[in-house]
């Protein structure tokens, strides 16, 4: 079991995953969750912190507190994406993003798509230094990726458990997807909803997919990649039909992928070193033929 948890991976994979995760944190602040800053505009009595927020305990958000968290976290995430000071910057990003999420989720709505990302942020500082393209294998980096993978799969499996806990089999036979389509469905979802019994079949399929998701750990490498591809396709359909993105979860799920093979900086350098050759010029003989004056044939008179 210990060998599986710490299965060594290339340091280049850890470096790529680290850069992707920290860049997403920066993007999350300004693209996906900028609304967190507006939470401080409501009365403090509406702040009902999560259990962890009550245990620590954390202060009631104020404009000054949230503003400081936002700007320091944004700068720290961008610096951490470079791979410098992985422990200092990594723990700083985790602590500040953890506070950011507590503020976001302490007003009545808790999103479960950020669990894998939070685990990744907590594990990455323990992976140590890693450079892009480094093939040297590291068990510490393997552990960081493995616990992130486990968190990703727990998100699916525990979602199925929650469905059974609060809805039972009625979740699968009810009108869950129909209500979602009515609330936020797209034109594609409207077409799918017209097919008799298809939404019920889809609900049973979602439950089966979530319950069977742990099988990804026992599949051969080739089939494991295919199953992760299915996970991504599932979320693509979700976005296309009911506009729910699960973006943080999708970022954390890249822990399953061989990210060391994706190196955009190296690709850009190769393009710069080998620019597209200009169109080939005509042969010199052709140029000479067209450049020389035409000779006129003398007219012979009888």
């Amino acid at each position: 079991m210990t060998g599986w948890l710490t299965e060594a991976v290339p340091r280049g994979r850890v470096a790529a995953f680290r850069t992707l995760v920290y860049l997403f944190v920066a993007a999350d602040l300004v693209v996906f969750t900028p609304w967190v800053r507006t939470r401080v505009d409501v009365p403090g009595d509406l702040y009902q912190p999560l259990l962890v927020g009550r245990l620590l305990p954390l202060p009631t958000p104020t404009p000054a507190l949230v503003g400081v968290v936002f700007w320091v976290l944004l700068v720290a995430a961008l610096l951490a994406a470079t791979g410098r000071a992985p422990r200092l910057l990594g723990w700083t990003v985790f602590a500040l993003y953890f506070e950011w999420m507590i503020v976001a989720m302490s007003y009545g709505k808790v999103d479960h798509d950020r669990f894998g990302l939070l685990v990744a942020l907590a594990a990455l500082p323990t992976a140590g230094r890693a450079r892009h393209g480094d093939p040297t294998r590291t068990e510490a980096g393997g552990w960081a990726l493995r616990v992130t993978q486990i968190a990703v799969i727990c998100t699916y499996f525990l979602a199925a458990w929650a469905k059974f806990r609060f809805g039972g089999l009625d979740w699968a036979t009810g009108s869950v997807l129909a209500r979602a389509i009515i609330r936020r469905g797209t034109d594609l979802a409207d077409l799918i909803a017209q097919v008799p019994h298809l939404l019920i079949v889809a609900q049973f399929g979602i439950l089966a997919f979530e319950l069977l998701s742990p099988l990804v750990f026992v599949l051969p490498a080739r089939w494991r990649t295919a199953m992760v591809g299915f996970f991504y396709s599932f979320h693509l359909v979700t976005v296309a039909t009911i506009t729910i993105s699960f973006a943080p979860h999708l970022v954390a799920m890249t822990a399953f992928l061989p990210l060391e093979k994706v190196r955009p900086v190296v690709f850009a350098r190769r393009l710069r070193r080998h620019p597209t050759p200009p169109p080939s010029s005509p042969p010199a003989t052709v140029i000479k033929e067209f450049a020389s004056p035409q000779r006129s044939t003398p007219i012979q008179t009888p």
Side-chain angles (χ1 to χ4, degrees), residues 234-257:
F234 168 78
H235 290 286
L236 179 62
V237 173
T238 303
V239 172
T241 52
I242 55 178
T243 61
I244 299 177
S245 69
F246 280 83
H249 178 80
L250 300 181
V251 172
M253 194 157 58
T254 60
F256 283 99
L257 304 178

Side-chain angles (χ1 to χ4, degrees), residues 9-19 81-84 86 127-136 138 259-260 263 269:
V9 299
R11 293 184 184 273
R13 183 179 305 181
V14 177
F17 182 68
R18 172 182 288 154
T19 297
T82 66
R84 299 179 182 275
R129 294 188 176 275
R131 297 182 60 183
H132 289 269
D134 187 352
T136 307
T138 167
L259 295 177
E260 71 275 13
R263 303 183 62 188
R269 288 175 179 173

Side-chain angles (χ1 to χ4, degrees), residues 97-198:
Y97 191 77
F98 190 67
E99 168 65 8
W100 185 259
M101 285 294 98
I102 290 176
V103 174
M105 307 302 168
S106 294
Y107 291 87
K109 180 177 180 291
V110 180
D111 297 330
H112 65 287
D113 62 341
R114 297 175 182 275
F115 177 58
L117 182 68
L118 282 168
V119 171
L121 290 175
L124 278 173
T126 68
R129 294 188 176 275
R131 297 182 60 183
H132 289 269
D134 187 352
T136 307
R137 293 187 170 268
T138 167
E139 291 185 352
W143 182 84
L145 293 180
R146 183 68 78 197
V147 294
T148 303
Q149 295 171 0
I150 294 173
V152 167
I153 299 304
C154 283
T155 301
Y156 290 130
F157 189 81
L158 295 179
W161 172 258
K163 292 178 178 67
F164 282 119
R165 179 184 176 188
F166 296 105
L169 286 177
D170 291 339
W171 190 95
T173 59
S175 56
V176 176
L177 290 181
R179 290 198 302 268
I181 291 174
I182 292 173
R183 288 178 54 209
R184 51 194 305 167
T186 63
D187 292 339
L188 175 60
D190 293 338
L191 291 175
I192 293 174
Q194 297 175 16
V195 180
H197 309 297
L198 182 57

Side-chain angles (χ1 to χ4, degrees), residues 44-129:
D45 295 340
L46 297 179
Y47 176 69
Q48 301 294 326
L50 303 175
L51 176 60
V52 65
R54 299 193 300 271
L55 292 176
L56 287 178
L58 296 174
T60 301
T62 63
L65 173 65
V66 175
V68 169
V69 170
F70 175 85
W71 288 110
V72 176
L73 177 56
L74 181 61
V75 174
L78 292 175
L79 291 175
T82 66
R84 299 179 182 275
R87 289 182 175 83
L88 174 62
L89 291 174
W91 287 122
T92 300
V93 171
F94 169 70
L96 292 175
Y97 191 77
F98 190 67
E99 168 65 8
W100 185 259
M101 285 294 98
I102 290 176
V103 174
M105 307 302 168
S106 294
Y107 291 87
K109 180 177 180 291
V110 180
D111 297 330
H112 65 287
D113 62 341
R114 297 175 182 275
F115 177 58
L117 182 68
L118 282 168
V119 171
L121 290 175
L124 278 173
T126 68
R129 294 188 176 275

